[in-house]
Amino acid sequence: MEVLVAAYNVSSVPKMLELAKVTYGFGLKRFILIKVFGAAAQQIGDLFKLAFKMGGEVLVFNDIADAVDILKPDIIYALGRPDRDTKPIEKVDGKIMLLVHGADLSFSPRELPPGAIMSHAVAKDIGSTGQLAIALYRLLGA
């Protein structure tokens, strides 16, 4: 099983860095940004510096379709707030993309590629960083 973390619609520098720290902290080497703008885009050098220090790398895409086309995940979990339309993540064989909203919002169906699964890691509203951390813990272990 291979896990990819992709942060979508990120404008906050602290949020971008926290998501990257969680990703690299679980031993993943690649952090993916999709549709980065505002202060985060202007200070993306801070992310590259963090990646270098933690032995990671950064990929940046303009939209989700480009990331999916290049990275070719087998399954896409769009992590968000738990509600009646979301399903818990589960381990599967293949390449998993964890798509996290950078603004702590739920994904709209039109933002997601076909076949993406609206999901959550824990049935509590703990924000995207918390959902990502628990999802990685469940998929990769301690």
Side-chain angles (χ1 to χ4, degrees):
M1 173 180 60
E2 180 182 352
V3 178
L4 305 169
V5 173
Y8 171 75
N9 204 25
V10 180
S11 65
S12 164
V13 175
K15 176 64 117 184
M16 175 178 68
L17 296 176
E18 283 301 312
L19 291 169
K21 284 178 189 175
V22 169
T23 300
Y24 299 137
F26 274 92
L28 300 179
K29 296 297 179 195
R30 182 177 295 152
F31 180 65
I32 302 148
L33 282 175
I34 303 169
K35 193 180 169 188
V36 60
F37 64 98
Q42 291 175 355
Q43 293 185 295
I44 201 164
D46 292 345
L47 176 60
F48 284 96
K49 184 169 53 175
L50 174 69
F52 184 79
K53 286 180 181 179
M54 296 187 81
E57 61 183 49
V58 178
L59 295 177
V60 181
F61 294 97
N62 289 327
D63 59 44
I64 295 172
D66 286 343
V68 170
D69 182 50
I70 298 294
L71 300 170
K72 300 187 182 337
D74 298 311
I75 189 165
I76 301 169
Y77 288 124
L79 290 174
R81 294 183 181 127
D83 63 29
R84 61 182 171 81
D85 296 327
T86 64
K87 298 178 181 176
I89 61 160
E90 55 187 39
K91 287 184 179 185
V92 294
D93 289 331
K95 189 186 295 186
I96 298 171
M97 177 182 278
L98 295 176
L99 190 58
V100 181
H101 205 294
D104 282 334
L105 299 173
S106 294
F107 287 96
S108 72
R110 71 172 207 270
E111 289 176 311
L112 297 176
I117 300 169
M118 299 287 286
S119 57
H120 61 272
V122 63
K124 303 282 184 198
D125 187 5
I126 58 172
S128 57
T129 306
Q131 288 286 344
L132 175 61
I134 293 172
L136 289 173
Y137 183 81
R138 287 191 171 179
L139 293 173
L140 302 173

